[in-house]
Amino acid sequence: MLIREAELDLAEGLNAITGETGAGKTILSQAIGLLLGAKGDAGAIGADGDEAYVEAELDLPEGLLDEFESLAELRPAHEEGLVLARRIFVDGRTRAYAWGRSVAREDVAALAERLVAMSGQFEQRRLARPAYQLDVLDAFVGDDQRRRRADLRRAWRELLAARRRYEELAANAADAEARIAELRALVEDTEGLEPDAEESLRAERERLRHVTELASGVGAAVEALAPDEGEGAGALVGAAAHSLAPLEGLAPELRDAAADLRDTEHRLREAAGQLRSFLASLEAEPDRVEQVEADLDRIAEAKRRFRSTTFEELLARAAEARAELEALADGADPVEAASAARVAAEKEVRALTDELAQARRAAAEPFAEAVARELESVGFGEGEFVAELGEREPGSTGADDVRFLIRPNPGLPFGPVAETASGGELSRIALAIAAVGGGETMVFDEIDAGIGGTTAHAVGETLRRLAERAQVITITHLPQIASLADRHFRVEKIPGDPTHTKIERLEDDERRDELQRMLGGEEFLAIMAEDQQR
């Protein structure tokens, strides 16, 4: 079974994907699975294909890339979204991409998992991670908790820098001369670098690489407006204005048209002048490309030499070096100053860690009770659910661990969610948690496994409520769920050589037909109508 090519424009709310059993709906979940880190298989490529490729364009929450610095550096200038992709070659090799640039599969999977939650093995893996469970609980707490986490991330980075600086100073106290030489080298190598220098240079390099296209296009525009020989648009408009000038007294109604022509002539001449100046600037700096490349090489070499992952970190270290040199010049003890800075950073981290912990302790029970109610509403036992808090080593998200525990049947002990449920049960648990703790893009492939009737309606209503604040994609056989979708897609098997699968968005009439098919078709509806008449 093969989808040769498909592009889905998903709605922000609830998206339903339906089709006959065996039509190929699973291919879509497999495609999403590749982005979430599933192992690629050459079997996904059709007999006549050269490769399999899946790409997703996602909204990028503010601050998320702070946790993925190696990927953040690849983000193109002025690119607001996130573009992730996987490619499978016929020999079984795979490649992963972020914004079209090759990256490690694990990096793409880690980033995708922060934005896309998928039922089945991927949701089981997410729910087994304490970090994910902590994210969900904090999302339930609300915006204040997100602010505290952002503050703690910043404070934690500053603490690590303060510790590193203190350790370097203490270790090198016996070799002060070498230390001072390194500080001076760092200051000299970053002299004159502004905070946005690297980004500006990259943007300028991109423009300079297209200088031929710019010169050709602008030159053609100048030739059309005001050529060196012959008449251009400006001269022709001027001639028209000159022709009307003596007639304005005879026909006053021509005055507006004449004034417009004079104004247009002036604007065209101004535009031609600006374009000529632009062309002159292109010609005035023929060696600028080499200079820009040299400046970018200087930055790259400085980052490598002084062990800085990002340009911002390099500038921060340079600022620290200047402060240390100034302190030395004033006779201060740099080791004592670094120790004081470390103590202050540790104090701030402890305060923020305590704030996070207090908010989590206060929210754990209300969160668990809300999830339990959702579980009961979607037909999962009596919905017994607990969010158990514990302690761990402090880090950038605090010093708390949380475990989601569930008891599917009375009398049994509570157990970890990821180990206690599977298949459709796990999908419904994930739905209940997302309905309470927020979510991003949720994909449900087994949400209707083993349910129907009242439970199906309850699951559908929960999906609808979740879709009011998150994007939801559900692959379903149930009309109770599909009928609530904001956007409906149908997967259909097309016989041929080879047989292939297509997916298309349904309009209103097509959607009614698909829901009717899911209900059992016209014959089934006719029988139901006869039974009701009897």
Side-chain angles (χ1 to χ4, degrees):
M1 195 63 64
L2 174 70
I3 292 181
R4 291 173 177 169
E5 182 178 355
E7 182 174 344
L8 303 186
D9 181 15
L10 299 167
E12 293 183 357
L14 179 59
N15 299 269
I17 298 173
T18 64
E20 295 279 6
T21 300
K25 297 186 295 297
T26 304
I27 297 174
L28 295 172
S29 60
Q30 290 171 342
I32 297 170
L34 285 171
L35 296 175
L36 294 171
K39 184 178 179 181
D41 185 350
I45 305 173
D48 299 327
D50 296 324
E51 64 179 23
Y53 181 79
V54 56
E55 178 181 286
E57 184 173 352
L58 306 165
D59 291 337
L60 190 58
E62 185 178 353
L64 178 60
L65 283 184
D66 293 345
E67 304 172 41
F68 298 88
E69 291 184 353
S70 61
L71 292 179
E73 291 186 348
L74 302 178
R75 185 181 185 179
H78 312 302
E79 176 62 66
E80 295 183 358
L82 171 65
V83 181
L84 300 177
R86 286 283 302 280
R87 176 174 272 116
I88 306 174
F89 300 97
V90 290
D91 59 3
R93 291 180 300 113
T94 70
R95 287 276 181 84
Y97 305 90
W99 296 290
R101 299 186 180 183
S102 182
V103 296
R105 181 184 78 177
E106 293 77 11
D107 289 342
V108 166
L111 187 50
E113 279 194 348
R114 296 296 299 275
L115 299 173
V116 180
M118 185 173 177
S119 61
Q121 60 172 314
F122 300 102
E123 189 60 32
Q124 193 165 19
R125 187 168 65 193
R126 275 165 57 104
L127 286 172
R129 290 206 320 268
Y132 170 68
Q133 298 180 41
L134 196 67
D135 289 345
V136 172
L137 180 59
D138 284 344
F140 175 77
V141 176
D143 291 339
D144 286 343
Q145 192 76 336
R146 278 190 281 270
R147 176 189 55 76
R148 294 185 193 104
R149 285 186 60 152
D151 289 343
L152 181 56
R153 279 198 304 271
R154 172 195 52 75
W156 185 256
R157 286 196 300 268
E158 292 175 359
L159 173 58
L160 293 180
R163 285 175 173 171
R164 182 186 67 243
R165 186 181 179 196
Y166 172 75
E167 290 167 0
E168 289 175 351
L169 285 171
N172 293 321
D175 193 7
E177 187 175 341
R179 170 71 182 173
I180 292 171
E182 182 179 1
L183 293 176
R184 286 174 177 162
L186 174 54
V187 171
E188 290 172 2
D189 286 2
T190 56
E191 190 67 38
L193 291 179
E194 299 296 331
D196 62 346
E198 186 176 34
E199 183 179 349
S200 297
L201 287 167
R202 289 185 185 278
E204 185 178 0
R205 179 176 63 182
E206 188 66 18
R207 168 177 155 168
L208 291 171
R209 284 176 174 174
H210 295 83
V211 68
T212 302
E213 298 171 43
L214 290 168
S216 175
V218 174
V222 170
E223 186 67 18
L225 292 175
D228 293 332
E229 297 182 5
E231 294 185 332
L236 292 173
V237 171
H242 183 72
S243 297
L244 292 179
L247 305 177
E248 293 180 49
L250 298 174
E253 62 267 33
L254 294 177
R255 289 174 182 170
D256 288 345
D260 288 344
L261 288 171
R262 285 190 292 271
D263 183 60
T264 301
E265 178 193 10
H266 176 69
R267 291 177 178 273
L268 290 175
R269 293 189 185 280
E270 279 189 341
Q274 292 171 359
L275 294 175
R276 284 198 177 95
S277 297
F278 181 82
L279 282 175
S281 71
L282 293 179
E283 298 169 359
E285 297 183 278
D287 300 327
R288 181 57 183 163
V289 176
E290 289 76 10
Q291 181 60 49
V292 169
E293 293 288 1
D295 289 344
L296 286 170
D297 288 343
R298 172 196 172 195
I299 291 173
E301 173 60 22
K303 288 197 298 187
R304 183 199 63 77
R305 180 180 177 185
F306 299 107
R307 302 173 298 283
S308 300
T309 305
T310 65
F311 182 63
E312 289 74 17
E313 183 182 349
L314 174 67
L315 294 185
R317 298 199 67 181
E320 291 173 3
R322 289 189 187 89
E324 189 174 333
L325 289 171
E326 290 172 2
L328 286 170
D330 293 339
D333 184 345
V335 177
E336 288 184 7
S339 178
R342 182 194 60 177
V343 170
E346 288 173 344
K347 182 178 179 181
E348 183 180 13
V349 165
R350 279 196 301 271
L352 289 168
T353 297
D354 289 344
E355 286 184 27
L356 281 168
Q358 290 172 13
R360 288 163 180 162
R361 284 194 293 269
E365 186 173 344
F367 170 77
E369 291 174 352
V371 173
R373 287 193 296 271
E374 293 289 348
L375 285 170
E376 192 170 4
S377 73
V378 296
F380 196 90
E382 295 183 5
E384 293 185 272
F385 181 90
V386 172
E388 182 181 78
L389 284 172
E391 294 184 0
R392 60 174 171 82
E393 284 295 313
S396 62
T397 57
D400 303 301
D401 258 340
V402 63
R403 291 200 310 157
F404 292 166
L405 307 176
I406 193 167
R407 178 157 58 191
N409 297 299
L412 294 177
F414 280 92
V417 166
E419 299 173 12
T420 305
S422 61
E425 290 182 339
L426 188 65
S427 294
R428 279 182 280 157
I429 293 171
L431 173 60
I433 291 172
V436 173
E440 46 293 290
T441 294
M442 307 286 296
V443 183
F444 296 100
D445 190 12
E446 301 177 357
I447 195 74
D448 53 10
I451 65 171
T454 303
T455 301
H457 282 291
V459 169
E461 281 302 312
T462 305
L463 286 168
R464 184 190 59 76
R465 282 191 287 109
L466 176 58
E468 291 175 357
R469 53 181 170 78
Q471 185 179 57
V472 180
I473 303 165
T474 179
I475 301 172
T476 182
H477 293 282
L478 294 178
Q480 296 98 316
I481 293 175
S483 64
L484 298 173
D486 299 299
R487 196 163 293 176
H488 191 159
F489 299 86
R490 178 177 59 203
V491 177
E492 185 178 3
K493 182 167 61 177
I494 307 299
D497 187 15
T499 295
H500 66 280
T501 291
K502 74 172 183 177
I503 180 169
E504 59 183 359
R505 177 181 172 182
L506 300 181
E507 301 301 333
D508 290 344
D509 291 344
E510 297 168 316
R511 187 176 181 186
R512 280 194 294 272
D513 292 342
E514 176 66 5
L515 291 172
Q516 180 175 289
R517 179 198 66 77
M518 297 174 73
L519 285 165
E522 292 184 1
E523 293 182 5
F524 175 78
L525 294 177
I527 293 172
M528 291 291 293
E530 290 177 4
D531 289 344
Q532 290 176 354
Q533 290 176 357
R534 292 171 188 168

PDB file of all heavy atoms in Angstrom, residues 265-290:
ATOM      1  N   GLU A 265       5.815  61.960 -12.736  1.00  0.00           N
ATOM      2  CA  GLU A 265       7.144  62.145 -13.334  1.00  0.00           C
ATOM      3  C   GLU A 265       8.200  62.330 -12.235  1.00  0.00           C
ATOM      4  O   GLU A 265       9.288  61.728 -12.281  1.00  0.00           O
ATOM      5  CB  GLU A 265       7.136  63.365 -14.261  1.00  0.00           C
ATOM      6  CG  GLU A 265       8.511  63.635 -14.878  1.00  0.00           C
ATOM      7  CD  GLU A 265       8.601  65.001 -15.547  1.00  0.00           C
ATOM      8  OE1 GLU A 265       7.661  65.811 -15.369  1.00  0.00           O
ATOM      9  OE2 GLU A 265       9.622  65.251 -16.224  1.00  0.00           O
ATOM     10  N   HIS A 266       7.853  63.165 -11.232  1.00  0.00           N
ATOM     11  CA  HIS A 266       8.789  63.417 -10.143  1.00  0.00           C
ATOM     12  C   HIS A 266       9.108  62.122  -9.384  1.00  0.00           C
ATOM     13  O   HIS A 266      10.271  61.839  -9.081  1.00  0.00           O
ATOM     14  CB  HIS A 266       8.168  64.452  -9.191  1.00  0.00           C
ATOM     15  CG  HIS A 266       9.009  64.724  -7.979  1.00  0.00           C
ATOM     16  ND1 HIS A 266      10.222  65.390  -8.049  1.00  0.00           N
ATOM     17  CD2 HIS A 266       8.811  64.406  -6.661  1.00  0.00           C
ATOM     18  CE1 HIS A 266      10.742  65.465  -6.839  1.00  0.00           C
ATOM     19  NE2 HIS A 266       9.906  64.877  -5.973  1.00  0.00           N
ATOM     20  N   ARG A 267       8.072  61.338  -9.114  1.00  0.00           N
ATOM     21  CA  ARG A 267       8.271  60.093  -8.375  1.00  0.00           C
ATOM     22  C   ARG A 267       9.096  59.093  -9.183  1.00  0.00           C
ATOM     23  O   ARG A 267       9.948  58.376  -8.635  1.00  0.00           O
ATOM     24  CB  ARG A 267       6.925  59.467  -8.005  1.00  0.00           C
ATOM     25  CG  ARG A 267       6.157  60.264  -6.963  1.00  0.00           C
ATOM     26  CD  ARG A 267       4.792  59.642  -6.679  1.00  0.00           C
ATOM     27  NE  ARG A 267       4.078  60.384  -5.657  1.00  0.00           N
ATOM     28  CZ  ARG A 267       4.200  60.183  -4.357  1.00  0.00           C
ATOM     29  NH1 ARG A 267       5.028  59.248  -3.919  1.00  0.00           N
ATOM     30  NH2 ARG A 267       3.514  60.902  -3.479  1.00  0.00           N
ATOM     31  N   LEU A 268       8.841  59.025 -10.471  1.00  0.00           N
ATOM     32  CA  LEU A 268       9.606  58.096 -11.312  1.00  0.00           C
ATOM     33  C   LEU A 268      11.074  58.490 -11.371  1.00  0.00           C
ATOM     34  O   LEU A 268      11.964  57.628 -11.339  1.00  0.00           O
ATOM     35  CB  LEU A 268       9.010  58.044 -12.719  1.00  0.00           C
ATOM     36  CG  LEU A 268       7.647  57.361 -12.851  1.00  0.00           C
ATOM     37  CD1 LEU A 268       7.126  57.491 -14.279  1.00  0.00           C
ATOM     38  CD2 LEU A 268       7.737  55.896 -12.457  1.00  0.00           C
ATOM     39  N   ARG A 269      11.346  59.796 -11.449  1.00  0.00           N
ATOM     40  CA  ARG A 269      12.745  60.235 -11.487  1.00  0.00           C
ATOM     41  C   ARG A 269      13.427  59.945 -10.137  1.00  0.00           C
ATOM     42  O   ARG A 269      14.607  59.569 -10.093  1.00  0.00           O
ATOM     43  CB  ARG A 269      12.824  61.716 -11.824  1.00  0.00           C
ATOM     44  CG  ARG A 269      12.361  62.036 -13.254  1.00  0.00           C
ATOM     45  CD  ARG A 269      12.658  63.474 -13.643  1.00  0.00           C
ATOM     46  NE  ARG A 269      12.120  63.806 -14.944  1.00  0.00           N
ATOM     47  CZ  ARG A 269      12.709  63.468 -16.103  1.00  0.00           C
ATOM     48  NH1 ARG A 269      13.845  62.790 -16.084  1.00  0.00           N
ATOM     49  NH2 ARG A 269      12.154  63.810 -17.250  1.00  0.00           N
ATOM     50  N   GLU A 270      12.669  60.151  -9.049  1.00  0.00           N
ATOM     51  CA  GLU A 270      13.230  59.825  -7.728  1.00  0.00           C
ATOM     52  C   GLU A 270      13.532  58.332  -7.615  1.00  0.00           C
ATOM     53  O   GLU A 270      14.586  57.927  -7.104  1.00  0.00           O
ATOM     54  CB  GLU A 270      12.251  60.226  -6.621  1.00  0.00           C
ATOM     55  CG  GLU A 270      12.290  61.693  -6.270  1.00  0.00           C
ATOM     56  CD  GLU A 270      11.450  61.962  -5.013  1.00  0.00           C
ATOM     57  OE1 GLU A 270      10.600  61.105  -4.676  1.00  0.00           O
ATOM     58  OE2 GLU A 270      11.665  63.011  -4.386  1.00  0.00           O
ATOM     59  N   ALA A 271      12.596  57.507  -8.082  1.00  0.00           N
ATOM     60  CA  ALA A 271      12.800  56.059  -8.027  1.00  0.00           C
ATOM     61  C   ALA A 271      14.014  55.653  -8.846  1.00  0.00           C
ATOM     62  O   ALA A 271      14.824  54.816  -8.416  1.00  0.00           O
ATOM     63  CB  ALA A 271      11.544  55.333  -8.525  1.00  0.00           C
ATOM     64  N   ALA A 272      14.151  56.240 -10.037  1.00  0.00           N
ATOM     65  CA  ALA A 272      15.307  55.923 -10.881  1.00  0.00           C
ATOM     66  C   ALA A 272      16.607  56.304 -10.180  1.00  0.00           C
ATOM     67  O   ALA A 272      17.609  55.572 -10.238  1.00  0.00           O
ATOM     68  CB  ALA A 272      15.183  56.635 -12.223  1.00  0.00           C
ATOM     69  N   GLY A 273      16.583  57.466  -9.486  1.00  0.00           N
ATOM     70  CA  GLY A 273      17.783  57.891  -8.759  1.00  0.00           C
ATOM     71  C   GLY A 273      18.135  56.935  -7.629  1.00  0.00           C
ATOM     72  O   GLY A 273      19.304  56.585  -7.419  1.00  0.00           O
ATOM     73  N   GLN A 274      17.123  56.489  -6.909  1.00  0.00           N
ATOM     74  CA  GLN A 274      17.372  55.545  -5.820  1.00  0.00           C
ATOM     75  C   GLN A 274      17.908  54.223  -6.346  1.00  0.00           C
ATOM     76  O   GLN A 274      18.821  53.629  -5.749  1.00  0.00           O
ATOM     77  CB  GLN A 274      16.067  55.310  -5.042  1.00  0.00           C
ATOM     78  CG  GLN A 274      15.598  56.524  -4.262  1.00  0.00           C
ATOM     79  CD  GLN A 274      14.206  56.321  -3.683  1.00  0.00           C
ATOM     80  OE1 GLN A 274      13.585  55.288  -3.874  1.00  0.00           O
ATOM     81  NE2 GLN A 274      13.708  57.342  -2.984  1.00  0.00           N
ATOM     82  N   LEU A 275      17.357  53.766  -7.456  1.00  0.00           N
ATOM     83  CA  LEU A 275      17.830  52.503  -8.027  1.00  0.00           C
ATOM     84  C   LEU A 275      19.267  52.624  -8.534  1.00  0.00           C
ATOM     85  O   LEU A 275      20.066  51.691  -8.391  1.00  0.00           O
ATOM     86  CB  LEU A 275      16.902  52.061  -9.159  1.00  0.00           C
ATOM     87  CG  LEU A 275      15.471  51.683  -8.732  1.00  0.00           C
ATOM     88  CD1 LEU A 275      14.607  51.382  -9.949  1.00  0.00           C
ATOM     89  CD2 LEU A 275      15.496  50.480  -7.805  1.00  0.00           C
ATOM     90  N   ARG A 276      19.606  53.787  -9.110  1.00  0.00           N
ATOM     91  CA  ARG A 276      20.998  53.987  -9.566  1.00  0.00           C
ATOM     92  C   ARG A 276      21.951  53.986  -8.365  1.00  0.00           C
ATOM     93  O   ARG A 276      23.056  53.441  -8.442  1.00  0.00           O
ATOM     94  CB  ARG A 276      21.118  55.305 -10.337  1.00  0.00           C
ATOM     95  CG  ARG A 276      20.566  55.246 -11.750  1.00  0.00           C
ATOM     96  CD  ARG A 276      21.105  56.419 -12.584  1.00  0.00           C
ATOM     97  NE  ARG A 276      20.648  56.329 -13.959  1.00  0.00           N
ATOM     98  CZ  ARG A 276      19.585  56.933 -14.437  1.00  0.00           C
ATOM     99  NH1 ARG A 276      18.840  57.695 -13.625  1.00  0.00           N
ATOM    100  NH2 ARG A 276      19.244  56.795 -15.704  1.00  0.00           N
ATOM    101  N   SER A 277      21.512  54.596  -7.270  1.00  0.00           N
ATOM    102  CA  SER A 277      22.345  54.599  -6.055  1.00  0.00           C
ATOM    103  C   SER A 277      22.545  53.179  -5.539  1.00  0.00           C
ATOM    104  O   SER A 277      23.635  52.804  -5.099  1.00  0.00           O
ATOM    105  CB  SER A 277      21.694  55.453  -4.961  1.00  0.00           C
ATOM    106  OG  SER A 277      21.606  56.798  -5.370  1.00  0.00           O
ATOM    107  N   PHE A 278      21.489  52.388  -5.603  1.00  0.00           N
ATOM    108  CA  PHE A 278      21.606  50.990  -5.166  1.00  0.00           C
ATOM    109  C   PHE A 278      22.602  50.233  -6.033  1.00  0.00           C
ATOM    110  O   PHE A 278      23.446  49.489  -5.536  1.00  0.00           O
ATOM    111  CB  PHE A 278      20.234  50.323  -5.225  1.00  0.00           C
ATOM    112  CG  PHE A 278      20.234  48.885  -4.782  1.00  0.00           C
ATOM    113  CD1 PHE A 278      20.176  48.557  -3.443  1.00  0.00           C
ATOM    114  CD2 PHE A 278      20.300  47.850  -5.711  1.00  0.00           C
ATOM    115  CE1 PHE A 278      20.184  47.237  -3.029  1.00  0.00           C
ATOM    116  CE2 PHE A 278      20.320  46.531  -5.302  1.00  0.00           C
ATOM    117  CZ  PHE A 278      20.254  46.221  -3.955  1.00  0.00           C
ATOM    118  N   LEU A 279      22.501  50.424  -7.362  1.00  0.00           N
ATOM    119  CA  LEU A 279      23.450  49.768  -8.267  1.00  0.00           C
ATOM    120  C   LEU A 279      24.877  50.205  -7.976  1.00  0.00           C
ATOM    121  O   LEU A 279      25.817  49.395  -7.989  1.00  0.00           O
ATOM    122  CB  LEU A 279      23.096  50.091  -9.727  1.00  0.00           C
ATOM    123  CG  LEU A 279      21.937  49.310 -10.338  1.00  0.00           C
ATOM    124  CD1 LEU A 279      21.635  49.836 -11.742  1.00  0.00           C
ATOM    125  CD2 LEU A 279      22.264  47.818 -10.399  1.00  0.00           C
ATOM    126  N   ALA A 280      25.036  51.492  -7.690  1.00  0.00           N
ATOM    127  CA  ALA A 280      26.377  51.999  -7.382  1.00  0.00           C
ATOM    128  C   ALA A 280      26.926  51.360  -6.112  1.00  0.00           C
ATOM    129  O   ALA A 280      28.117  51.066  -6.013  1.00  0.00           O
ATOM    130  CB  ALA A 280      26.341  53.518  -7.235  1.00  0.00           C
ATOM    131  N   SER A 281      26.033  51.115  -5.116  1.00  0.00           N
ATOM    132  CA  SER A 281      26.504  50.493  -3.878  1.00  0.00           C
ATOM    133  C   SER A 281      26.940  49.054  -4.118  1.00  0.00           C
ATOM    134  O   SER A 281      27.869  48.567  -3.479  1.00  0.00           O
ATOM    135  CB  SER A 281      25.396  50.526  -2.817  1.00  0.00           C
ATOM    136  OG  SER A 281      24.343  49.633  -3.140  1.00  0.00           O
ATOM    137  N   LEU A 282      26.257  48.377  -5.060  1.00  0.00           N
ATOM    138  CA  LEU A 282      26.671  47.011  -5.389  1.00  0.00           C
ATOM    139  C   LEU A 282      28.049  47.008  -6.037  1.00  0.00           C
ATOM    140  O   LEU A 282      28.885  46.138  -5.771  1.00  0.00           O
ATOM    141  CB  LEU A 282      25.655  46.352  -6.325  1.00  0.00           C
ATOM    142  CG  LEU A 282      24.259  46.064  -5.761  1.00  0.00           C
ATOM    143  CD1 LEU A 282      23.380  45.444  -6.835  1.00  0.00           C
ATOM    144  CD2 LEU A 282      24.350  45.139  -4.563  1.00  0.00           C
ATOM    145  N   GLU A 283      28.295  47.984  -6.895  1.00  0.00           N
ATOM    146  CA  GLU A 283      29.564  48.041  -7.606  1.00  0.00           C
ATOM    147  C   GLU A 283      30.693  48.582  -6.735  1.00  0.00           C
ATOM    148  O   GLU A 283      31.867  48.320  -6.980  1.00  0.00           O
ATOM    149  CB  GLU A 283      29.406  48.916  -8.851  1.00  0.00           C
ATOM    150  CG  GLU A 283      28.396  48.366  -9.855  1.00  0.00           C
ATOM    151  CD  GLU A 283      28.051  49.381 -10.940  1.00  0.00           C
ATOM    152  OE1 GLU A 283      28.611  50.503 -10.864  1.00  0.00           O
ATOM    153  OE2 GLU A 283      27.246  49.068 -11.824  1.00  0.00           O
ATOM    154  N   ALA A 284      30.305  49.352  -5.668  1.00  0.00           N
ATOM    155  CA  ALA A 284      31.330  50.022  -4.858  1.00  0.00           C
ATOM    156  C   ALA A 284      32.062  49.062  -3.928  1.00  0.00           C
ATOM    157  O   ALA A 284      33.144  49.381  -3.439  1.00  0.00           O
ATOM    158  CB  ALA A 284      30.689  51.136  -4.029  1.00  0.00           C
ATOM    159  N   GLU A 285      31.470  47.884  -3.639  1.00  0.00           N
ATOM    160  CA  GLU A 285      32.101  46.962  -2.703  1.00  0.00           C
ATOM    161  C   GLU A 285      32.270  45.580  -3.331  1.00  0.00           C
ATOM    162  O   GLU A 285      31.649  44.596  -2.903  1.00  0.00           O
ATOM    163  CB  GLU A 285      31.250  46.851  -1.439  1.00  0.00           C
ATOM    164  CG  GLU A 285      31.113  48.147  -0.678  1.00  0.00           C
ATOM    165  CD  GLU A 285      30.321  47.979   0.605  1.00  0.00           C
ATOM    166  OE1 GLU A 285      29.089  47.987   0.531  1.00  0.00           O
ATOM    167  OE2 GLU A 285      30.949  47.809   1.650  1.00  0.00           O
ATOM    168  N   PRO A 286      33.115  45.466  -4.339  1.00  0.00           N
ATOM    169  CA  PRO A 286      33.287  44.169  -5.004  1.00  0.00           C
ATOM    170  C   PRO A 286      33.902  43.112  -4.093  1.00  0.00           C
ATOM    171  O   PRO A 286      33.721  41.923  -4.322  1.00  0.00           O
ATOM    172  CB  PRO A 286      34.217  44.504  -6.177  1.00  0.00           C
ATOM    173  CG  PRO A 286      34.953  45.735  -5.737  1.00  0.00           C
ATOM    174  CD  PRO A 286      33.975  46.514  -4.921  1.00  0.00           C
ATOM    175  N   ASP A 287      34.628  43.538  -3.063  1.00  0.00           N
ATOM    176  CA  ASP A 287      35.281  42.571  -2.170  1.00  0.00           C
ATOM    177  C   ASP A 287      34.493  42.340  -0.888  1.00  0.00           C
ATOM    178  O   ASP A 287      35.006  41.728   0.051  1.00  0.00           O
ATOM    179  CB  ASP A 287      36.696  43.073  -1.815  1.00  0.00           C
ATOM    180  CG  ASP A 287      37.571  43.239  -3.052  1.00  0.00           C
ATOM    181  OD1 ASP A 287      37.386  42.453  -3.997  1.00  0.00           O
ATOM    182  OD2 ASP A 287      38.420  44.148  -3.053  1.00  0.00           O
ATOM    183  N   ARG A 288      33.263  42.842  -0.841  1.00  0.00           N
ATOM    184  CA  ARG A 288      32.499  42.749   0.394  1.00  0.00           C
ATOM    185  C   ARG A 288      32.184  41.298   0.775  1.00  0.00           C
ATOM    186  O   ARG A 288      32.157  40.955   1.956  1.00  0.00           O
ATOM    187  CB  ARG A 288      31.192  43.548   0.253  1.00  0.00           C
ATOM    188  CG  ARG A 288      30.316  43.552   1.505  1.00  0.00           C
ATOM    189  CD  ARG A 288      31.055  44.093   2.714  1.00  0.00           C
ATOM    190  NE  ARG A 288      30.233  44.037   3.916  1.00  0.00           N
ATOM    191  CZ  ARG A 288      30.691  44.123   5.146  1.00  0.00           C
ATOM    192  NH1 ARG A 288      31.997  44.271   5.362  1.00  0.00           N
ATOM    193  NH2 ARG A 288      29.881  44.059   6.186  1.00  0.00           N
ATOM    194  N   VAL A 289      31.961  40.443  -0.229  1.00  0.00           N
ATOM    195  CA  VAL A 289      31.660  39.038   0.067  1.00  0.00           C
ATOM    196  C   VAL A 289      32.799  38.416   0.858  1.00  0.00           C
ATOM    197  O   VAL A 289      32.593  37.741   1.873  1.00  0.00           O
ATOM    198  CB  VAL A 289      31.421  38.235  -1.228  1.00  0.00           C
ATOM    199  CG1 VAL A 289      31.220  36.757  -0.904  1.00  0.00           C
ATOM    200  CG2 VAL A 289      30.205  38.763  -1.962  1.00  0.00           C
ATOM    201  N   GLU A 290      34.028  38.673   0.403  1.00  0.00           N
ATOM    202  CA  GLU A 290      35.190  38.113   1.089  1.00  0.00           C
ATOM    203  C   GLU A 290      35.296  38.653   2.514  1.00  0.00           C
ATOM    204  O   GLU A 290      35.642  37.918   3.449  1.00  0.00           O
ATOM    205  CB  GLU A 290      36.474  38.420   0.306  1.00  0.00           C
ATOM    206  CG  GLU A 290      36.623  37.660  -1.002  1.00  0.00           C
ATOM    207  CD  GLU A 290      35.753  38.209  -2.116  1.00  0.00           C
ATOM    208  OE1 GLU A 290      35.170  39.303  -1.924  1.00  0.00           O
ATOM    209  OE2 GLU A 290      35.642  37.550  -3.165  1.00  0.00           O
TER     210      GLU A 290
END
